[in-house]
Amino acid sequence: MSTLEDDVRNKCLSEFQADHVECTGEGSCTGQAKLELIVVSSQFEGVPLLARHRKVNTALAEYMDQIHALTIKAWTPAQYESKK
């Protein structure tokens, strides 16, 4: 049985042909998860930050009823390399 983190990770890998995805989370007192997500994809090249976040939120729409808070870092491969 997969976890919400696994489902989110797999969705981002397939939706964005991501080079790298990290999804970590914790439950909350409301029963919904607080997730931190890093998605690295060349599809984010030339896309403004807000538009990247909207793309991720749209891709994860089916999981949003299970997520209380979502921190998104949507980076290009070059941005990811510079942050290592």
Side-chain angles (χ1 to χ4, degrees):
M1 184 170 167
S2 64
T3 65
L4 176 61
E5 290 88 348
D6 290 335
D7 292 342
V8 167
R9 185 178 306 109
N10 290 333
K11 182 67 172 185
C12 289
L13 283 167
S14 65
E15 186 76 20
F16 301 107
Q17 291 84 46
D19 298 323
H20 179 80
V21 177
E22 292 177 31
C23 183
T24 57
E26 60 184 64
S28 71
C29 60
T30 64
Q32 293 178 314
K34 294 180 182 179
L35 300 180
E36 292 190 21
L37 178 64
I38 298 173
V39 183
V40 180
S41 173
S42 57
Q43 289 186 15
F44 297 138
E45 297 280 349
V47 178
L49 182 62
L50 186 57
R52 294 177 190 188
H53 285 218
R54 286 181 180 147
K55 286 176 178 275
V56 172
N57 278 314
T58 298
L60 300 179
E62 66 188 286
Y63 304 108
M64 294 311 267
D65 64 334
Q66 301 171 61
I67 299 171
H68 171 72
L70 178 61
T71 301
I72 300 169
K73 294 178 181 169
W75 294 330
T76 65
Q79 288 171 319
Y80 179 66
E81 287 301 316
S82 73
K83 296 179 188 299
K84 279 186 175 180

